[in-house]
Amino acid sequence: MNVPNIAAAALLLFLLSVSSSFAETLERELQVVVEFDAEQSWVSETEEFGKQFYDATSSQRYELRTRLQADSQLQTLNLLDPDQEKRLKAKTIHLARQARKKLAAAGKPVAIPQTPAEKTALTQQMQEEQYVCQGDPECRRDTMLFYAAIFAAIEYPEAAQAPAGGGRYLYYEPGPACSSYARVTMQLSIQGEHYNKGEKEVVPFTEERSADVENPDDDIALCKRYLAVIDTDDKAEPLYVENFYLPSAQGETVITELGNTREKTERQPMPGDVLAWVTQQLKHADTSGEASARVRLLQPLNGISEQSGAIMGHADVKMRWEFSDAKADTVAE
């Protein structure tokens, strides 16, 4: 289905004619280390093991470095504004401008729908092109980016214009060849007991989990999971980081009961309660710092999701971070 051609040439100029002036590329490296000791007791029930009672201790350490780039053009809106409505507007406009650059590079013409019927036709065309992608993530992302420019131009006509003077925010995003490094070390020891199905006998067991991995495999490059903003007018807390992500690693799980041992290699969970606390520290922070806290653990340390009864435990967490100008002799691996 073709989108109606509404003054295509003029509208193409509307989206693509604004040539961006040369801007210096700025590069910073985000470095974060998170480590904690934890202890926990809980009850869970699974189809495989029935009802189980756990006492656990764990020591874990996560280290990451990743590089992000910004151009020197100061933006007027904060891409990570704490106000949700302002943040959504900033992201929509930014996404549209990024899409405009790709469209311009590809020489792809665009017409902006004006009537409800034309908007419906555009939406259907987008869905059809996504279907053609057949689950290819690169194809789907490119398709979404293409149509983001059109839909954003409808909602925010200023998205087609380069930002005016008086801005204060720098957007740091993954570069074309972004680099990252991560290392995960963890040890989790569990003493527990459960009932065999259909029996009243209590069966003690142990569960040991461990990992020590550099650059854990992931479906998306680590650097591409990050977005940061620097507020050049805020001298105390200029840094905003969105959706902080710590990689989990493949490691060994060894379960022993009644003299029998089962071993398997699997992805080891990073406690979501700790991750949430770390994320909160970097929502609005100085460009470098340290923090520590006793974090309550509301989910089992071994990642079992079907729990019942009380969960008691905590992690004593320490973290340090720095978001500084990247140096040539400390390139992330």
Side-chain angles (χ1 to χ4, degrees):
M1 179 181 296
N2 293 324
V3 178
N5 185 353
I6 311 167
L11 291 167
L12 178 60
L13 287 176
F14 172 72
L15 273 180
L16 306 181
S17 64
V18 180
S19 298
S20 57
S21 59
F22 175 78
E24 177 188 1
T25 298
L26 309 175
E27 188 174 49
R28 288 196 178 205
E29 184 168 279
L30 178 65
Q31 303 179 52
V32 182
V33 176
V34 178
E35 50 193 345
F36 63 87
D37 294 317
E39 57 184 47
Q40 187 182 53
S41 299
W42 76 96
V43 178
S44 74
E45 189 164 1
T46 67
E47 183 177 349
E48 181 180 5
F49 297 112
K51 203 166 196 177
Q52 300 182 92
F53 304 86
Y54 298 83
D55 289 300
T57 59
S58 183
S59 293
Q60 302 188 29
R61 185 179 189 276
Y62 297 78
E63 176 185 357
L64 68 86
R65 303 194 304 270
T66 190
R67 291 195 171 187
L68 302 173
Q69 292 181 349
D71 61 39
S72 55
Q73 175 68 62
L74 292 175
Q75 307 292 328
T76 56
L77 299 176
N78 183 353
L79 202 58
L80 299 178
D81 196 298
D83 183 284
Q84 184 174 358
E85 185 174 344
K86 293 179 180 178
R87 184 170 66 250
L88 178 60
K89 179 178 180 179
K91 286 188 174 183
T92 303
I93 290 175
H94 178 62
L95 180 60
R97 287 180 180 148
Q98 294 299 99
R100 187 197 70 229
K101 293 177 183 178
K102 284 199 170 186
L103 293 172
K108 211 168 186 179
V110 168
I112 306 300
Q114 302 294 315
T115 68
E118 290 165 355
K119 294 176 183 178
T120 299
L122 182 70
T123 300
Q124 184 172 345
Q125 178 173 307
M126 178 186 69
Q127 293 170 344
E128 289 173 355
E129 291 190 17
Q130 285 182 310
Y131 178 78
V132 171
C133 290
Q134 292 293 319
D136 183 332
E138 293 287 340
C139 176
R140 290 182 64 85
R141 182 169 61 246
D142 289 345
T143 301
M144 287 297 295
L145 201 57
F146 174 78
Y147 286 97
I150 310 172
F151 289 117
I154 297 171
E155 186 173 2
Y156 299 114
E158 65 267 35
Q161 305 300 323
R168 57 189 282 186
Y169 302 103
L170 291 170
Y171 299 166
Y172 281 87
E173 302 174 281
C178 58
S179 57
S180 301
Y181 170 81
R183 182 175 180 181
V184 178
T185 56
M186 62 85 67
Q187 185 76 36
L188 171 61
S189 297
I190 297 173
Q191 303 283 334
E193 57 185 33
H194 66 84
Y195 293 93
N196 280 335
K197 290 183 178 180
E199 300 180 12
K200 295 184 178 180
E201 179 186 5
V202 176
V203 179
F205 67 91
T206 63
E207 181 177 334
E208 298 287 338
R209 294 174 177 259
S210 62
D212 188 348
V213 179
E214 290 186 308
N215 298 320
D217 292 334
D218 212 344
D219 57 340
I220 299 176
L222 183 61
C223 59
K224 292 185 178 180
R225 293 184 179 273
Y226 281 90
L227 171 64
V229 170
I230 289 291
D231 180 353
T232 60
D233 284 358
D234 188 341
K235 305 306 179 186
E237 295 184 323
L239 174 64
Y240 296 80
V241 176
E242 181 184 46
N243 296 332
F244 191 76
Y245 177 83
L246 291 174
S248 58
Q250 290 281 83
E252 302 306 313
T253 299
V254 180
I255 298 174
T256 301
E257 64 175 62
L258 299 178
N260 298 315
T261 297
R262 303 189 303 277
E263 301 183 23
K264 59 181 175 179
T265 300
E266 61 183 348
R267 192 166 292 278
Q268 302 299 335
M270 196 281 180
D273 303 306
V274 174
L275 179 58
W277 178 82
V278 173
T279 298
Q280 190 59 40
Q281 306 317 300
L282 295 180
K283 284 289 186 183
H284 190 193
D286 198 349
T287 52
S288 64
E290 298 180 355
S292 61
R294 173 163 285 189
V295 176
R296 184 182 176 191
L297 298 177
L298 301 176
Q299 298 294 325
L301 280 166
N302 65 353
I304 292 177
S305 60
E306 299 179 22
Q307 72 271 346
S308 59
I311 297 178
M312 297 184 297
H314 63 266
D316 291 319
V317 189
K318 297 185 295 183
M319 68 173 292
R320 62 181 185 273
W321 71 90
E322 183 175 358
F323 189 53
S324 58
D325 292 340
K327 299 177 182 178
D329 58 348
T330 59
V331 175
E333 299 175 17

